[in-house]
Amino acid sequence: LCANKLRELADSGMIEMTDDPARGGAARVRPRNLGYLMARFCVEMETMTLFPQLSATASLPDVLSLLSTSKELGGGLALRTIDKKPLAAINASEEKIRFPIDGSRKSKCKTPASKAFLLLQLRASGAPLEGFDDTRILMQEKGCRVLRAMIEYAESAGLSGPLCA
């Protein structure tokens, strides 16, 4: 079980495993930058594997999209039927959010990731998340951790863009 998890971490680029002849061929395990950030900020491995998708030319909607698809945010939210109408109103409002779902104000919120995409923007604008009290706590606790890890990754990878501006 442990060897399988180590192999999984190595395959995803979180750690480096090498054979150490001085230790009888036992594996030496060292964290890579992604693994270090994953441990430091307590971020899921699935989320960390998204970070290399960031590029130096990533736009703010790209960053928001990546954040909203993280396991912590998009995977931790439930899209309830009663949420769909208020989320559609948020998406349609030019005053509340800057980037609509799929680039269209008429698009409907169909996934937990699209819910996170809208609510991240709403919260970043300083507007309260009225009617989304359960989501507010999740966004504040987990969202901040993932964002800080993403910023440190972008800085260490030499990416300049919305995260490092």
Side-chain angles (χ1 to χ4, degrees):
L1 178 66
C2 188
N4 288 341
K5 289 296 178 186
L6 285 172
R7 238 185 324 286
E8 193 177 325
L9 286 167
D11 291 345
S12 62
M14 303 298 151
I15 62 171
E16 181 181 340
M17 287 179 34
T18 56
D19 291 333
D20 188 355
R23 297 175 58 206
R28 169 169 265 159
V29 178
R30 292 188 181 154
R32 290 187 171 168
N33 188 39
L34 281 174
Y36 169 76
L37 293 172
M38 181 175 81
R40 181 170 174 216
F41 292 104
C42 298
V43 176
E44 297 274 348
M45 187 172 75
E46 283 181 42
T47 299
M48 293 305 295
T49 59
L50 297 173
F51 287 11
Q53 294 175 14
L54 285 173
S55 68
T57 59
S59 63
L60 194 51
D62 295 335
V63 172
L64 285 168
S65 180
L66 195 133
L67 264 176
S68 63
T69 57
S70 70
K71 187 170 181 180
E72 287 80 358
L73 294 179
L77 289 178
L79 181 60
R80 303 173 301 182
T81 305
I82 60 171
D83 292 339
K84 291 185 178 185
K85 191 172 183 177
L87 288 169
I90 292 168
N91 191 52
S93 172
E94 289 184 26
E95 293 83 36
K96 291 185 179 181
I97 63 161
R98 194 167 155 194
F99 309 108
I101 299 169
D102 299 328
S104 170
R105 298 264 174 216
K106 294 180 181 181
S107 291
K108 295 189 190 258
C109 188
K110 297 178 183 173
T111 65
S114 58
K115 177 180 178 179
F117 183 77
L118 292 174
L119 295 181
L120 279 169
Q121 292 182 74
L122 191 63
R123 190 67 196 124
S125 72
L129 298 179
E130 294 175 4
F132 298 100
D133 292 333
D134 57 329
T135 306
R136 181 181 49 84
I137 296 167
L138 176 85
M139 302 283 271
Q140 286 176 329
E141 291 177 0
K142 294 183 177 185
C144 287
R145 260 189 304 116
V146 174
L147 184 58
R148 285 195 326 255
M150 192 182 290
I151 289 168
E152 280 208 26
Y153 171 77
E155 288 174 345
S156 68
L159 301 176
S160 59
L163 285 174
C164 300

mmCIF file of all heavy atoms in Angstrom, residues 63-87:
data_model
loop_
_atom_site.group_PDB
_atom_site.id
_atom_site.type_symbol
_atom_site.label_atom_id
_atom_site.label_comp_id
_atom_site.label_asym_id
_atom_site.label_seq_id
_atom_site.Cartn_x
_atom_site.Cartn_y
_atom_site.Cartn_z
ATOM 1 N N VAL A 63 -7.306 31.264 -14.310
ATOM 2 C CA VAL A 63 -6.966 30.992 -12.915
ATOM 3 C C VAL A 63 -8.229 30.656 -12.124
ATOM 4 O O VAL A 63 -8.250 29.691 -11.347
ATOM 5 C CB VAL A 63 -6.223 32.198 -12.286
ATOM 6 C CG1 VAL A 63 -6.046 32.018 -10.793
ATOM 7 C CG2 VAL A 63 -4.883 32.412 -12.964
ATOM 8 N N LEU A 64 -9.291 31.420 -12.330
ATOM 9 C CA LEU A 64 -10.553 31.147 -11.643
ATOM 10 C C LEU A 64 -11.108 29.779 -12.027
ATOM 11 O O LEU A 64 -11.623 29.042 -11.179
ATOM 12 C CB LEU A 64 -11.580 32.229 -11.972
ATOM 13 C CG LEU A 64 -11.384 33.572 -11.301
ATOM 14 C CD1 LEU A 64 -12.285 34.624 -11.939
ATOM 15 C CD2 LEU A 64 -11.639 33.482 -9.815
ATOM 16 N N SER A 65 -10.991 29.440 -13.291
ATOM 17 C CA SER A 65 -11.467 28.144 -13.759
ATOM 18 C C SER A 65 -10.681 27.008 -13.112
ATOM 19 O O SER A 65 -11.260 26.011 -12.671
ATOM 20 C CB SER A 65 -11.358 28.079 -15.283
ATOM 21 O OG SER A 65 -11.813 26.848 -15.744
ATOM 22 N N LEU A 66 -9.375 27.164 -13.041
ATOM 23 C CA LEU A 66 -8.547 26.139 -12.415
ATOM 24 C C LEU A 66 -8.876 26.011 -10.926
ATOM 25 O O LEU A 66 -9.008 24.906 -10.407
ATOM 26 C CB LEU A 66 -7.062 26.471 -12.604
ATOM 27 C CG LEU A 66 -6.133 25.311 -12.316
ATOM 28 C CD1 LEU A 66 -5.111 25.185 -13.427
ATOM 29 C CD2 LEU A 66 -5.435 25.499 -11.006
ATOM 30 N N LEU A 67 -9.030 27.132 -10.255
ATOM 31 C CA LEU A 67 -9.400 27.111 -8.832
ATOM 32 C C LEU A 67 -10.754 26.430 -8.633
ATOM 33 O O LEU A 67 -10.922 25.634 -7.710
ATOM 34 C CB LEU A 67 -9.503 28.540 -8.295
ATOM 35 C CG LEU A 67 -8.311 29.129 -7.592
ATOM 36 C CD1 LEU A 67 -8.578 30.583 -7.235
ATOM 37 C CD2 LEU A 67 -7.910 28.353 -6.380
ATOM 38 N N SER A 68 -11.704 26.752 -9.474
ATOM 39 C CA SER A 68 -13.047 26.206 -9.297
ATOM 40 C C SER A 68 -13.133 24.718 -9.620
ATOM 41 O O SER A 68 -14.037 24.042 -9.134
ATOM 42 C CB SER A 68 -14.066 26.992 -10.129
ATOM 43 O OG SER A 68 -13.795 26.879 -11.499
ATOM 44 N N THR A 69 -12.196 24.198 -10.399
ATOM 45 C CA THR A 69 -12.202 22.763 -10.679
ATOM 46 C C THR A 69 -11.376 21.971 -9.680
ATOM 47 O O THR A 69 -11.320 20.750 -9.759
ATOM 48 C CB THR A 69 -11.685 22.458 -12.101
ATOM 49 O OG1 THR A 69 -10.376 23.007 -12.241
ATOM 50 C CG2 THR A 69 -12.610 23.010 -13.159
ATOM 51 N N SER A 70 -10.753 22.665 -8.732
ATOM 52 C CA SER A 70 -9.961 21.957 -7.721
ATOM 53 C C SER A 70 -10.866 21.039 -6.910
ATOM 54 O O SER A 70 -12.063 21.290 -6.767
ATOM 55 C CB SER A 70 -9.256 22.955 -6.796
ATOM 56 O OG SER A 70 -10.189 23.599 -5.966
ATOM 57 N N LYS A 71 -10.274 19.980 -6.393
ATOM 58 C CA LYS A 71 -11.059 19.024 -5.614
ATOM 59 C C LYS A 71 -11.609 19.684 -4.351
ATOM 60 O O LYS A 71 -12.705 19.370 -3.905
ATOM 61 C CB LYS A 71 -10.207 17.814 -5.255
ATOM 62 C CG LYS A 71 -10.989 16.715 -4.607
ATOM 63 C CD LYS A 71 -10.202 15.449 -4.479
ATOM 64 C CE LYS A 71 -11.087 14.387 -3.838
ATOM 65 N NZ LYS A 71 -10.411 13.142 -3.667
ATOM 66 N N GLU A 72 -10.864 20.621 -3.792
ATOM 67 C CA GLU A 72 -11.297 21.288 -2.580
ATOM 68 C C GLU A 72 -12.537 22.145 -2.799
ATOM 69 O O GLU A 72 -13.411 22.193 -1.950
ATOM 70 C CB GLU A 72 -10.174 22.186 -2.013
ATOM 71 C CG GLU A 72 -9.039 21.443 -1.388
ATOM 72 C CD GLU A 72 -8.044 20.888 -2.399
ATOM 73 O OE1 GLU A 72 -8.240 21.041 -3.622
ATOM 74 O OE2 GLU A 72 -7.066 20.291 -1.962
ATOM 75 N N LEU A 73 -12.601 22.838 -3.925
ATOM 76 C CA LEU A 73 -13.730 23.740 -4.168
ATOM 77 C C LEU A 73 -14.809 23.089 -5.020
ATOM 78 O O LEU A 73 -15.906 22.829 -4.546
ATOM 79 C CB LEU A 73 -13.249 25.036 -4.813
ATOM 80 C CG LEU A 73 -12.358 25.897 -3.926
ATOM 81 C CD1 LEU A 73 -11.912 27.131 -4.663
ATOM 82 C CD2 LEU A 73 -13.061 26.268 -2.656
ATOM 83 N N GLY A 74 -14.508 22.827 -6.281
ATOM 84 C CA GLY A 74 -15.505 22.238 -7.172
ATOM 85 C C GLY A 74 -15.952 20.865 -6.717
ATOM 86 O O GLY A 74 -17.119 20.507 -6.830
ATOM 87 N N GLY A 75 -15.010 20.099 -6.162
ATOM 88 C CA GLY A 75 -15.349 18.758 -5.692
ATOM 89 C C GLY A 75 -16.032 18.751 -4.348
ATOM 90 O O GLY A 75 -16.668 17.775 -3.971
ATOM 91 N N GLY A 76 -15.905 19.856 -3.608
ATOM 92 C CA GLY A 76 -16.489 19.910 -2.273
ATOM 93 C C GLY A 76 -17.844 20.580 -2.214
ATOM 94 O O GLY A 76 -18.465 20.633 -1.158
ATOM 95 N N LEU A 77 -18.300 21.096 -3.325
ATOM 96 C CA LEU A 77 -19.592 21.790 -3.363
ATOM 97 C C LEU A 77 -20.684 20.886 -3.903
ATOM 98 O O LEU A 77 -20.438 20.029 -4.738
ATOM 99 C CB LEU A 77 -19.516 23.010 -4.279
ATOM 100 C CG LEU A 77 -18.715 24.213 -3.823
ATOM 101 C CD1 LEU A 77 -18.740 25.279 -4.899
ATOM 102 C CD2 LEU A 77 -19.249 24.762 -2.535
ATOM 103 N N ALA A 78 -21.871 21.144 -3.445
ATOM 104 C CA ALA A 78 -23.036 20.465 -4.003
ATOM 105 C C ALA A 78 -23.844 21.506 -4.773
ATOM 106 O O ALA A 78 -24.040 22.620 -4.290
ATOM 107 C CB ALA A 78 -23.878 19.861 -2.895
ATOM 108 N N LEU A 79 -24.270 21.152 -5.951
ATOM 109 C CA LEU A 79 -25.123 22.044 -6.737
ATOM 110 C C LEU A 79 -26.564 21.608 -6.495
ATOM 111 O O LEU A 79 -27.025 20.605 -7.040
ATOM 112 C CB LEU A 79 -24.768 21.967 -8.222
ATOM 113 C CG LEU A 79 -25.574 22.871 -9.146
ATOM 114 C CD1 LEU A 79 -25.387 24.333 -8.764
ATOM 115 C CD2 LEU A 79 -25.178 22.654 -10.581
ATOM 116 N N ARG A 80 -27.229 22.358 -5.647
ATOM 117 C CA ARG A 80 -28.604 22.030 -5.294
ATOM 118 C C ARG A 80 -29.566 22.697 -6.273
ATOM 119 O O ARG A 80 -29.251 23.719 -6.869
ATOM 120 C CB ARG A 80 -28.906 22.498 -3.869
ATOM 121 C CG ARG A 80 -27.953 21.895 -2.839
ATOM 122 C CD ARG A 80 -28.160 22.497 -1.478
ATOM 123 N NE ARG A 80 -27.948 23.942 -1.536
ATOM 124 C CZ ARG A 80 -28.017 24.735 -0.495
ATOM 125 N NH1 ARG A 80 -28.303 24.254 0.687
ATOM 126 N NH2 ARG A 80 -27.821 26.034 -0.616
ATOM 127 N N THR A 81 -30.727 22.112 -6.413
ATOM 128 C CA THR A 81 -31.740 22.660 -7.316
ATOM 129 C C THR A 81 -32.116 24.086 -6.916
ATOM 130 O O THR A 81 -32.290 24.948 -7.774
ATOM 131 C CB THR A 81 -32.992 21.764 -7.317
ATOM 132 O OG1 THR A 81 -32.593 20.434 -7.649
ATOM 133 C CG2 THR A 81 -34.012 22.241 -8.322
ATOM 134 N N ILE A 82 -32.193 24.356 -5.614
ATOM 135 C CA ILE A 82 -32.581 25.692 -5.164
ATOM 136 C C ILE A 82 -31.485 26.735 -5.421
ATOM 137 O O ILE A 82 -31.743 27.926 -5.345
ATOM 138 C CB ILE A 82 -32.982 25.704 -3.669
ATOM 139 C CG1 ILE A 82 -31.820 25.254 -2.786
ATOM 140 C CG2 ILE A 82 -34.207 24.872 -3.430
ATOM 141 C CD1 ILE A 82 -32.069 25.450 -1.298
ATOM 142 N N ASP A 83 -30.266 26.279 -5.728
ATOM 143 C CA ASP A 83 -29.167 27.203 -6.023
ATOM 144 C C ASP A 83 -29.196 27.710 -7.466
ATOM 145 O O ASP A 83 -28.618 28.753 -7.762
ATOM 146 C CB ASP A 83 -27.807 26.519 -5.809
ATOM 147 C CG ASP A 83 -27.519 26.206 -4.362
ATOM 148 O OD1 ASP A 83 -28.134 26.826 -3.481
ATOM 149 O OD2 ASP A 83 -26.661 25.334 -4.109
ATOM 150 N N LYS A 84 -29.831 26.970 -8.342
ATOM 151 C CA LYS A 84 -29.720 27.261 -9.776
ATOM 152 C C LYS A 84 -30.274 28.628 -10.173
ATOM 153 O O LYS A 84 -29.662 29.334 -10.970
ATOM 154 C CB LYS A 84 -30.360 26.146 -10.589
ATOM 155 C CG LYS A 84 -29.570 24.854 -10.504
ATOM 156 C CD LYS A 84 -30.115 23.776 -11.385
ATOM 157 C CE LYS A 84 -29.238 22.541 -11.270
ATOM 158 N NZ LYS A 84 -29.641 21.493 -12.188
ATOM 159 N N LYS A 85 -31.408 29.036 -9.619
ATOM 160 C CA LYS A 85 -31.994 30.325 -9.988
ATOM 161 C C LYS A 85 -31.128 31.494 -9.495
ATOM 162 O O LYS A 85 -30.814 32.391 -10.278
ATOM 163 C CB LYS A 85 -33.422 30.422 -9.452
ATOM 164 C CG LYS A 85 -34.177 31.597 -9.998
ATOM 165 C CD LYS A 85 -35.638 31.542 -9.608
ATOM 166 C CE LYS A 85 -36.384 32.707 -10.228
ATOM 167 N NZ LYS A 85 -37.807 32.656 -9.924
ATOM 168 N N PRO A 86 -30.689 31.507 -8.210
ATOM 169 C CA PRO A 86 -29.814 32.606 -7.778
ATOM 170 C C PRO A 86 -28.479 32.627 -8.531
ATOM 171 O O PRO A 86 -27.953 33.696 -8.835
ATOM 172 C CB PRO A 86 -29.589 32.354 -6.290
ATOM 173 C CG PRO A 86 -30.554 31.325 -5.873
ATOM 174 C CD PRO A 86 -31.079 30.664 -7.089
ATOM 175 N N LEU A 87 -27.960 31.456 -8.869
ATOM 176 C CA LEU A 87 -26.692 31.406 -9.616
ATOM 177 C C LEU A 87 -26.875 31.935 -11.036
ATOM 178 O O LEU A 87 -25.986 32.603 -11.567
ATOM 179 C CB LEU A 87 -26.134 29.987 -9.629
ATOM 180 C CG LEU A 87 -25.569 29.490 -8.289
ATOM 181 C CD1 LEU A 87 -25.293 27.999 -8.341
ATOM 182 C CD2 LEU A 87 -24.323 30.256 -7.904
#
